Amino acid sequence: MYTKSKLRSIFGCESRLYADYLREQLRGFREANVKCYFIFRGGSETRDKLLETDENEGMSSGKNRVYEPLFARDVYKEVLNDMDMDYAICEYANKRDCVALGQRLHCPVLAFDIEYFFFGTEYVPYPSLQFNPTTKVMQCKLLLLDMLMEKFQLCERDIAVYITLFDDNVFSEEFREKLLRKLRLPLSYGRRHETFLRWLSRNGGSALEIISKLVSRNEDRTIRLELERKIKNLKVRESGGLPTKYFLDRDCCVINRGDREWFSKGLIWRFVAIPYVNVYRHGIVTGSWSTEDNDAEDAMLLSAPIVRYALDLLTNYNDAELLFVGAKRNPNVDDENPPARAKDLLKIATTIRKPEYGSSNVFENGWSGVSKYRLFEHFLAESVQMNTSVLEQVPAECRMLVVALVYFARQKGSDVDNEAYSVLLSYAVLTVADGGAGVDEPLKDGQCEHARALMDEYSNISDEEVELILDRKSLHPLVEFQHCLRHLNFLNTLCGSTLAPTVYSKTYSATFVYKILRDMKRYYNGNGRRFLEDKLDRASSVLSIVNKLYNLYSDMKLKKV
């Protein structure tokens, strides 16, 4: 969905704008009185796939490569929570649960993957969706397998050919357009499907042979292998797993005492983060999704101790192996044309002693009593000797942000005060621009407008400006911090902590943070306080929030247990 929003991802997630985009996308369902069920996919089913490919939360390289930035999935869930739209999380792939739920509820499946309707469920291609604000009706194209077969006089094998070629998980859009041109068929989304089905109908059993002559040998092999798999799935009746039960019979998901499914159910109840599936099931954590700085360590490495502690808790400290799957850095790499990178495997050792919670697994009876063990506070004290007593003075909604900044500063071991100023300013501006919720004192007249103007000034950026200001060495520590913030939030939730999770859409605006940091260093010689005083001369409420939070952050950074 993030790529569909057309938002920039080079500096990270444009969290506020992405949340606005998602709300607008989902608003039509609410106004059309359409109830939606959302099912997120989880981790990889096989360990080998994680080691061989950039699976799930893997890595991307290249300056112009588009990838889902950090926080994107988290923002999606934030918006669903805000709009009171329920969702479930699969441990692995979500396709079978989507099909099962559609079959059980007799409702269509909305997705980008055309393979869904091959299971015999009604399928709505996402691009066909359009909300009519006048009639308050959600208009769409509805595909049903039996109807298509009857309308175009197609057999099951013909339909399998169609689904294989138009499956985004099998072939790229570039492949499809190239093939459609060779077949002299239209490229537009509105016409391509029907004209291709008519072409299949006309050519009957010879269609596959014609296509084979127009594609490469490897592509032809892929078509034939995928074809047989799809025929086997024809109209399969799916039973679904825990995500299906979550929507249909929630009592089945209750974590009982000594429950063998505590991990899967913890995922359903959102105590277990999606990346922990690969960590717990396969002992693998993947590195940063992009290369910010080829001369620096993987941006995810600062967060590796967080993940190691999570695995130790999940496995009850049984010495489980954890492999960090990063990408080998090459200082001589050409940023314009980066080569495919080899995987760099690193074993992450246990560094945090076991907390005092008893001999059995702390999660096997559920999460209701886990908070009393203060597992999260134990990690902060053991890993970076963090004293959290100051947190009581920090507004509840940004305590995790301050914790992450202190952890980042201690782990980094260098001066990151300007990064801290930039991040705290993002939070303050978004807070004041949103009306000042959580601000201790009343906002003065015009403060919201000044905050919004500052956000717009530093959030808007052209492609030309990106090329001009992009400095990967400056970007790298910001990406390191994003990983720290995200994984500390995962751990906080896993540990049943009482600290409120970070709301990313109200905290971190990636382009804003990067441009603020750049101006601090370039025009103010790294004097963040003077930069803020000059820039916020007409936004005293924002300045007050930043100064207060920065002082608390500084106190926590200096105090140790």
Side-chain angles (χ1 to χ4, degrees):
M1 285 295 290
Y2 194 88
T3 55
K4 300 294 179 184
S5 72
K6 307 297 184 185
L7 292 170
R8 203 173 300 282
S9 62
I10 187 69
F11 303 115
C13 185
E14 303 301 332
S15 304
R16 175 183 64 94
L17 296 175
Y18 186 45
D20 291 343
Y21 167 80
L22 291 172
R23 288 189 189 95
E24 183 61 27
Q25 292 291 304
L26 297 171
R27 178 182 59 84
F29 293 105
R30 176 69 54 79
E31 295 190 20
N33 199 28
V34 175
K35 184 173 183 178
C36 299
Y37 300 85
F38 297 85
I39 301 181
F40 288 86
R41 68 184 175 92
S44 173
E45 293 190 54
T46 63
R47 192 172 193 267
D48 289 344
K49 196 171 184 182
L50 286 169
L51 295 172
E52 293 171 2
T53 65
D54 297 341
E55 171 72 7
N56 196 27
E57 303 204 319
M59 299 155 291
S60 302
S61 61
K63 183 162 64 176
N64 299 315
R65 175 84 171 264
V66 177
Y67 60 93
E68 184 182 70
L70 293 169
F71 308 155
R73 287 194 194 183
D74 309 286
V75 171
Y76 204 135
K77 293 167 191 171
E78 288 174 8
V79 172
L80 292 179
N81 288 330
D82 287 344
M83 299 184 71
D84 199 26
M85 292 181 164
D86 207 0
Y87 64 89
I89 301 171
C90 287
E91 190 163 343
Y92 301 114
N94 60 350
K95 185 169 291 184
R96 296 195 179 281
D97 275 286
C98 288
V99 171
L101 199 59
Q103 290 173 341
R104 296 283 293 277
L105 296 176
H106 303 289
C107 65
V109 174
L110 171 65
F112 290 100
D113 189 347
I114 198 169
E115 186 179 1
Y116 276 107
F117 98 99
F118 203 55
F119 287 86
T121 58
E122 293 180 327
Y123 166 65
V124 175
Y126 193 90
S128 74
L129 204 63
Q130 188 172 6
F131 175 67
N132 188 322
T134 304
T135 61
K136 304 294 184 185
V137 170
M138 190 66 79
Q139 299 169 334
C140 63
K141 179 178 290 186
L142 187 66
L143 301 180
L144 189 59
L145 181 60
D146 290 339
M147 290 172 57
L148 280 181
M149 292 178 69
E150 182 178 349
K151 178 180 179 180
F152 295 101
Q153 296 297 298
L154 299 171
C155 67
E156 293 176 357
R157 193 169 187 82
D158 293 332
I159 289 292
V161 171
Y162 165 58
I163 300 249
T164 298
L165 295 174
F166 284 87
D167 189 341
D168 288 334
N169 296 316
V170 179
F171 290 112
S172 66
E173 178 64 15
E174 181 182 3
F175 166 84
R176 274 189 293 276
E177 289 187 356
K178 187 177 179 181
L179 177 61
L180 290 172
R181 286 192 183 96
K182 289 180 178 179
L183 293 173
R184 297 183 179 180
L185 296 176
L187 301 180
S188 67
Y189 182 85
R191 297 184 59 205
R192 62 167 59 176
H193 293 282
E194 183 166 344
T195 53
F196 184 80
L197 288 169
R198 292 191 184 283
W199 179 86
L200 274 176
S201 181
R202 289 196 306 271
N203 287 277
S206 62
L208 188 58
E209 300 309 316
I210 295 173
I211 292 170
S212 295
K213 295 176 182 178
L214 301 176
V215 299
S216 70
R217 184 174 298 176
N218 285 338
E219 289 167 343
D220 182 49
R221 186 183 301 112
T222 299
I223 291 172
R224 294 179 185 277
L225 288 173
E226 190 65 24
L227 190 65
E228 297 306 316
R229 189 185 73 81
K230 292 191 185 309
I231 289 175
K232 289 179 182 178
N233 287 334
L234 180 65
K235 295 184 180 179
V236 171
R237 185 73 183 177
E238 293 290 349
S239 58
L242 281 175
T244 302
K245 294 175 182 177
Y246 174 80
F247 288 117
L248 300 178
D249 185 7
R250 205 152 293 190
D251 289 343
C252 294
C253 299
V254 172
I255 304 176
N256 300 305
R257 188 165 186 81
D259 200 319
R260 291 185 176 182
E261 290 187 290
W262 63 265
F263 180 83
S264 301
K265 291 180 178 179
L267 193 68
I268 283 288
W269 294 114
R270 306 166 196 175
F271 290 108
V272 176
I274 291 175
Y276 288 167
V277 174
N278 292 338
V279 170
Y280 179 67
R281 297 300 189 191
H282 307 304
I284 288 178
V285 56
T286 51
S288 188
W289 303 7
S290 63
T291 302
E292 300 81 33
D293 181 5
N294 277 297
D295 296 326
E297 288 186 326
D298 193 296
M300 176 61 193
L301 268 176
L302 285 187
S303 301
I306 308 172
V307 183
R308 175 71 249 186
Y309 178 63
L311 178 60
D312 286 333
L313 291 176
L314 290 166
T315 59
N316 197 24
Y317 275 78
N318 70 351
D319 296 323
E321 182 182 71
L322 179 62
L323 279 182
F324 181 92
V325 184
K328 291 182 179 177
R329 265 46 181 169
N330 180 1
N332 300 315
V333 73
D334 177 7
D335 280 346
E336 294 289 344
N337 299 289
R341 294 180 293 162
K343 296 294 177 68
D344 192 12
L345 304 182
L346 177 67
K347 285 188 179 182
I348 306 298
T350 296
T351 57
I352 309 298
R353 64 181 176 84
K354 183 179 179 180
E356 296 180 2
Y357 58 75
S359 58
S360 59
N361 191 300
V362 70
F363 304 122
E364 66 180 8
N365 298 322
W367 271 260
S368 59
V370 171
S371 61
K372 65 185 178 185
Y373 298 114
R374 296 178 61 82
L375 303 175
F376 186 63
E377 290 80 1
H378 177 81
F379 171 78
L380 298 178
E382 289 277 320
S383 62
V384 290
Q385 295 76 52
M386 192 184 302
N387 187 330
T388 57
S389 59
V390 179
L391 276 180
E392 294 179 3
Q393 303 174 52
V394 179
E397 64 275 7
C398 74
R399 287 175 183 171
M400 281 301 302
L401 180 66
V402 173
V403 165
L405 283 170
V406 175
Y407 176 88
F408 171 61
R410 293 263 179 88
Q411 286 286 76
K412 192 72 175 166
S414 58
D415 183 6
V416 291
D417 285 354
N418 285 319
E419 283 81 0
Y421 267 127
S422 303
V423 171
L424 292 172
L425 180 59
S426 173
Y427 166 79
V429 167
L430 288 172
T431 297
V432 174
D434 196 34
V439 178
D440 295 336
E441 55 192 53
L443 297 178
K444 297 177 182 178
D445 291 342
Q447 294 293 293
C448 294
E449 290 74 16
H450 289 315
R452 293 188 189 110
L454 185 65
M455 177 58 70
D456 291 342
E457 176 187 352
Y458 278 88
S459 294
N460 296 327
I461 189 170
S462 64
D463 291 339
E464 293 75 16
E465 188 179 358
V466 169
E467 295 290 333
L468 182 66
I469 72 171
L470 178 60
D471 175 16
R472 294 184 180 275
K473 291 187 183 301
S474 296
L475 177 60
H476 188 75
L478 292 177
V479 179
E480 288 180 306
F481 169 73
Q482 291 173 49
H483 281 292
C484 290
L485 178 61
R486 189 167 184 251
H487 279 277
L488 282 169
N489 270 279
F490 290 157
L491 182 63
N492 176 59
T493 302
L494 178 70
C495 294
S497 171
T498 56
L499 292 177
T502 299
V503 180
Y504 299 102
S505 58
K506 298 179 180 179
T507 301
Y508 198 93
S509 182
T511 298
F512 177 90
V513 171
Y514 179 82
K515 289 180 69 177
I516 288 288
L517 177 62
R518 181 178 182 272
D519 279 8
M520 276 184 193
K521 292 182 176 180
R522 187 174 185 184
Y523 301 116
Y524 286 80
N525 198 28
N527 190 329
R529 187 174 291 275
R530 189 161 63 87
F531 169 85
L532 292 176
E533 289 172 351
D534 286 357
K535 185 62 66 173
L536 302 175
D537 61 333
R538 293 192 301 164
S540 58
S541 293
V542 176
L543 181 60
S544 175
I545 294 171
V546 176
N547 282 337
K548 177 183 177 181
L549 292 176
Y550 180 82
N551 290 336
L552 292 169
Y553 151 76
S554 295
D555 287 348
M556 282 186 63
K557 191 173 65 168
L558 294 173
K559 289 182 179 178
K560 294 187 177 182
V561 292

